[in-house]
Amino acid sequence: MNKLTQSLPSIGVLSLLLAAWWIAVAWSGSVIFPTPWQVVTGTAELIRNGTLWLHISSSLLRVAAGFGLAVALALPLGLWMGWVNGAYLTLNPLFQILRPISPIAWIPIAILWFGVGNASPVFLIFISSVFPMIVQTVAGVHTIEKRYLRAAENFGVSRYTLFRQVVIPAVLPQIVVGMRIGLGVAWLVVVAAEMIALRSGLGYLIMDSRNAGNRYDLVIAGMIIIGLIGLLLDGGMRLLEGHRLVRWRYAH
Amino acid sequence: MHTNGSARAKIDVRNVRKAFASEKVSLPVVDGVDLQVADGEFVALIGPSGCGKTTLMNLIAGFLQPDDGAVFIDGIERRKPSSQGILISQQGSIFPWLTVQENLMFGLNGHAHTDKTGIADHYASIVGLKGFETSYPHQLSGGMLKRAELARALVVKPEILYMDEPFSALDALMGLRIRNELLRILAEERHTVLMITHDVEEAIHLADRILVLSPRPTRVQAVFDVPFAHPRRLTSPEAQELRVAVLRQLGVDA
């Protein structure tokens, strides 16, 4: 009940926007810009002919591949850079230069190297999500409180125990934050990447719907689906933040 | 100065000096400290705030290296920390991501104990944490965290406990309770204890000997024996007399 009353204002704003949209389309008599109902029927059409699932699954698979590769590289590299100062001093300037370059700027290079198949968007997702995760992991190692490292030193435990029981659990909350940022960026980028020259994916759906007959109802349907899936992905990462292994960080 | 024969001293600190360099100035913090602690003895270090007590403790426990002089444990020069002497600090260092039991077992990693959980649970019950083995530190009170910290140290059977104002963050009642428990545990398991405190009553309650440290750069300024048998009554005239004498050394008239 309390949750319902809390979400009432946002539901109200959404309803007002929908109403304003509908009235604006009706009032201007636009034949290209769809009403909310046309978006609903367009979505139903995509569901019926099965293309919606194809587009969603292609986009998700590309994100899974690019993001997975980025995690596999960023976590060990970030831990190493955080722990070994020489590695940090050597590699950090490079990453600080690469990090602010928009993933979109990599598109020409991605096409040059990987062509217009699946590899290009996977590469772009990798490039976009790997740097925030490296930076967060390094920051996580650097902010481990010294008293914990000293305690480990005092008990004279092995390097293996130090990493397994102190360093990695201490950094894990920051890693989860990094992954959440990385996945958010990855989802942004997959849609942009698919607009280039692919035959599937939600980005392709949007561009194709416009090019093949100004189907703006499908353009907007695609946008809304992208937003909803992004919300779900973020919600999933938030669930990770509640996991037993990282909950200590937030329990105060 | 009260000295045990250096050959028999558990902890033998000889003319230890330490300065911290900042910009072009060198700030001397510890200025030629000599002190000995006998095996099984409880020595309290009292000094004004900022006098360099914690630096001295870090030098003795091996977390810092002296510029001059040396620290010997059992006649062997100490160069780095080891589980032979465990430091319990004011802020505490119980790992928040491990359960109480996992924290207690931490120091046993790499040892060939067959029953690590058994040892951990034994010490959990000794400090009164029975039933909290699977709790996480954020579910414990400040007093319970101190008990866990003490138990984690005891698990590795350290010969020396270094305690840096361990109970100063607790309220007076909890501090008193935990001090009594520390005495009970020390009566069972003989440890050599070196404790920093700013609380004269705490020192008289616990220690066999009290060393008063001077303001920075610190030296040992005065030594008091505490010849009272346990359990001690802090309200006794002798204890009060000692308290006044220690406070006078600290420049406070009580």
Side-chain angles (χ1 to χ4, degrees), chain B residues 4-96:
Chain B
N4 296 297
S6 294
R8 281 182 293 122
K10 184 78 186 172
I11 305 171
D12 187 1
V13 179
R14 290 195 205 153
N15 192 31
V16 159
R17 286 170 203 280
K18 183 76 183 175
F20 290 116
S22 68
E23 316 247 312
K24 283 168 200 163
V25 205
S26 176
L27 180 75
V29 178
V30 176
D31 186 24
V33 166
D34 276 289
L35 66 90
Q36 284 78 34
V37 182
D39 191 22
E41 193 182 18
F42 193 131
V43 170
L45 298 170
I46 289 196
S49 352
C51 78
K53 298 186 288 271
T54 297
T55 302
L56 179 60
M57 187 70 109
N58 283 331
L59 287 164
I60 297 173
F63 290 104
L64 287 174
Q65 300 311 311
D67 298 338
D68 207 354
V71 176
F72 297 88
I73 308 293
D74 289 328
I76 299 161
E77 189 170 352
R78 130 94 62 256
R79 294 188 188 282
K80 58 184 179 62
S82 84
S83 58
Q84 185 188 20
I86 298 292
L87 177 73
I88 295 176
S89 64
Q90 184 181 359
Q91 42 182 204
S93 61
I94 283 290
F95 303 118

Side-chain angles (χ1 to χ4, degrees), chain B residues 79-157:
Chain B
R79 294 188 188 282
K80 58 184 179 62
S82 84
S83 58
Q84 185 188 20
I86 298 292
L87 177 73
I88 295 176
S89 64
Q90 184 181 359
Q91 42 182 204
S93 61
I94 283 290
F95 303 118
W97 49 82
L98 299 180
T99 62
V100 168
Q101 188 183 61
E102 288 165 346
N103 263 289
L104 264 52
M105 284 160 54
F106 180 77
L108 297 176
N109 274 297
H111 290 247
H113 293 289
T114 45
D115 185 22
K116 290 179 187 174
T117 49
I119 297 171
D121 291 350
H122 168 70
Y123 282 97
S125 78
I126 277 189
V127 299
L129 284 177
K130 203 178 176 65
F132 291 94
E133 291 86 349
T134 55
S135 300
Y136 279 89
H138 65 81
Q139 298 167 313
L140 303 185
S141 68
M144 289 160 94
L145 277 176
K146 283 295 167 200
R147 289 160 201 266
E149 183 113 32
L150 186 61
R152 187 179 66 177
L154 295 174
V155 161
V156 297
K157 301 208 168 290

